[in-house]
Amino acid sequence: SQQGEEDPQALSIQEGENATMNCSYKTSINNLQWYRQNSGRGLVHLILIRSNEREKHSGRLRVTLDTSKKSSSLLITASRAADTASYFCATWNSGGYQKVTFGIGTKLQVIP
Amino acid sequence: GAGVSQSPRYKVAKRGQDVALRCDPISGHVSLFWYQQALGQGPEFLTYFQNEAQLDKSGLPSDRFFAERPEGSVSTLKIQRTQQEDSAVYLCASSLSAIITVRGGSYNEQFFGPGTRLTVL
């Protein structure tokens, strides 16, 4: 079963605009990750934020995490056509091994 | 090779046929995962190997699904008597090690292969 739910499920923006995607999850986590998937490069890990962090940046990406609300957001600034892809949040649950559970994804289209 | 490879990339099977999907992980990666991704959904966990040991197979949807990694490197996911609901992309991922040695310790990234798209007619 899917751990997270992304919101919105689909998003269409103009090149240069910012894109914000949200993710909610259900159980306690060690960390939360965001992945990108497109037909050209498959599923690629973008960024990881630990449960004791509130915000993290990587290039044009900004991730926030609110463990009290069990939610995270991914902001892509100054979007490019090449950012067109599906974006998934994924969680690594506490205990055992690093079992990653994915959400259902947000399909982002950036229009040139 | 530099990344995780999977073969075949596409497989069309008639209902009832058996299929075998292959995954070549990154050399030296101890942990290997299989995921199933239905159209419009996120990947769902199927099974996990640490070296040759299958430590978690809780995600396998039925006893028609079987995975092995006999020498701790290449892995094969076999689906017997395929059904239409088995149609999906099957993703393989590998990482240095998925074992959590320290609570909240470092995370080893999973690297994904391109997937095998299985269509059952």
Side-chain angles (χ1 to χ4, degrees):
Chain A
S1 60
Q2 313 276 192
Q3 159 76 307
E5 284 192 14
E6 282 87 342
D7 167 42
Q9 292 194 17
L11 180 61
S12 183
I13 60 174
Q14 296 288 329
E15 199 166 31
E17 292 181 339
N18 296 341
T20 300
M21 289 160 269
N22 302 298
C23 164
S24 59
Y25 58 91
K26 297 171 187 172
T27 61
S28 62
I29 59 171
N30 282 348
N31 63 53
L32 185 141
Q33 304 145 57
W34 285 89
Y35 287 79
R36 178 181 64 215
Q37 185 177 43
N38 58 30
S39 57
R41 294 196 59 196
L43 193 63
V44 175
H45 179 265
L46 293 177
I47 192 167
L48 177 150
I49 184 165
R50 297 189 183 282
S51 59
N52 60 355
E53 297 176 313
R54 292 296 168 257
E55 189 171 311
K56 198 161 184 180
H57 298 254
S58 177
R60 294 184 296 112
L61 305 180
R62 173 178 169 254
V63 169
T64 63
L65 179 64
D66 186 336
T67 53
S68 66
K69 295 180 179 178
K70 290 188 169 60
S71 68
S72 173
S73 68
L74 171 67
L75 168 67
I76 304 174
T77 60
S79 63
R80 306 167 181 168
D83 294 330
T84 294
S86 291
Y87 291 81
F88 298 92
C89 69
T91 56
W92 162 27
N93 298 338
S94 301
Y97 66 93
Q98 294 170 358
K99 182 175 179 177
V100 177
T101 306
F102 289 86
I104 61 174
T106 292
K107 200 165 188 176
L108 172 66
Q109 181 184 27
V110 180
I111 302 167
Chain B
V4 178
S5 60
Q6 292 185 247
S7 61
R9 291 293 309 278
Y10 303 90
K11 177 69 178 178
V12 178
K14 290 183 180 177
R15 192 162 59 96
Q17 277 186 331
D18 297 348
V19 298
L21 312 180
R22 177 186 168 111
C23 172
D24 283 81
I26 293 172
S27 178
H29 277 194
V30 171
S31 298
L32 185 145
F33 299 82
W34 284 99
Y35 295 86
Q36 180 190 59
Q37 186 174 21
L39 189 64
Q41 300 292 313
E44 293 217 17
F45 169 83
L46 292 178
T47 187
Y48 154 62
F49 289 87
Q50 187 75 359
N51 294 302
E52 70 279 3
Q54 189 175 20
L55 298 187
D56 188 345
K57 55 182 181 178
S58 62
L60 296 176
S62 77
D63 58 8
R64 296 186 295 104
F65 287 70
F66 172 75
E68 60 182 4
R69 193 186 185 200
E71 297 178 358
S73 178
V74 170
S75 177
T76 303
L77 176 67
K78 298 179 180 177
I79 309 173
Q80 297 177 323
R81 305 181 303 281
T82 52
Q83 304 294 314
Q84 285 188 321
E85 61 263 29
D86 300 335
S87 295
V89 175
Y90 290 85
L91 296 169
C92 174
S94 71
S95 73
L96 282 170
S97 177
I99 293 295
I100 301 171
T101 54
V102 177
R103 182 172 174 80
S106 62
Y107 169 74
N108 290 317
E109 181 181 341
Q110 289 187 25
F111 294 86
F112 284 80
T116 294
R117 182 177 295 278
L118 173 65
T119 303
V120 181
L121 303 177

